[in-house]
Amino acid sequence: LFAKRAQLLLRERKPVNVIRDADNALALNPDNALAHKCKGKALRLLGRWEESALCLAAGQKCDYDDDTQELLKNVVKPNAEKLRQARLRKESSRRDRAHKEKLERLRSAKEARQKAYEESKAQEKADFEDMAGDGMPGGMPGGMGGLFDDPELA
């Protein structure tokens, strides 16, 4: 009953109602070829080519029809394939962009680590030079400063 009503609604070009009735018919009988075909044709009218191809192919498995096969082969499948290819290209470009961003983050992090390492080495060198120039860090203890100035010790 739902499949027949879906077929009549398809003739009236009411694809949303067709899909609803076809889904109800398929819920009662998943092997209903007419419901699959009506749903596929309605999805085609809505521009949902990939889903349409799946529904029409399912309808063809249940009950082969030359007209539906021609529609599937010449109209629906080429459009569904174009959409699939476009989706794959978009997904591929998104993955490539994410990979490039990740490489850029890694490169900048490596540069920052290298810069921090060089700065710490420069600071260490400066600290060492400051320490070496003064002699002992706190200076010489109280009476020993003139000890090395004595010519007899030299």
Side-chain angles (χ1 to χ4, degrees):
L1 181 66
F2 284 114
K4 285 290 186 183
R5 190 166 78 178
Q7 189 177 29
L8 293 173
L9 289 168
L10 186 62
R11 287 183 191 151
E12 295 178 16
R13 299 271 187 212
K14 296 183 177 180
V16 176
N17 295 334
V18 171
I19 293 170
R20 185 191 63 231
D21 282 351
D23 284 339
N24 288 335
L26 291 171
L28 296 173
N29 179 11
D31 294 329
N32 191 334
L34 181 60
H36 279 293
K37 291 176 185 179
C38 288
K39 183 177 179 180
K41 290 175 184 179
L43 289 167
R44 178 183 64 95
L45 291 174
L46 293 173
R48 293 162 51 184
W49 300 102
E50 293 171 324
E51 295 173 69
S52 175
L54 293 174
C55 288
L56 289 173
Q60 289 295 85
K61 284 182 185 177
C62 296
D63 180 30
Y64 185 82
D65 178 20
D66 288 331
D67 293 335
T68 306
Q69 183 63 28
E70 179 112 3
L71 176 69
L72 184 62
K73 181 180 170 187
N74 295 330
V75 178
V76 176
K77 277 195 176 179
N79 287 328
E81 184 62 25
K82 286 178 191 175
L83 285 173
R84 189 180 73 77
Q85 292 293 330
R87 187 180 67 246
L88 289 176
R89 279 193 305 272
K90 186 176 180 181
E91 186 177 313
S92 176
S93 68
R94 183 192 56 77
R95 277 195 313 262
D96 290 344
R97 192 171 43 251
H99 182 68
K100 286 179 183 178
E101 289 172 359
K102 181 179 178 182
L103 289 177
E104 178 62 28
R105 284 193 311 270
L106 290 174
R107 186 188 60 76
S108 63
K110 184 178 179 181
E111 287 175 358
R113 283 193 308 269
Q114 182 66 27
K115 184 178 178 183
Y117 174 75
E118 289 171 0
E119 288 175 357
S120 70
K121 281 293 189 184
Q123 183 64 35
E124 254 181 51
K125 186 177 179 182
D127 289 346
F128 182 72
E129 287 174 357
D130 287 346
M131 219 170 77
D134 293 344
M136 296 185 83
M140 294 290 280
M144 298 183 76
L147 184 66
F148 293 109
D149 294 335
D150 190 4
E152 291 179 7
L153 290 178

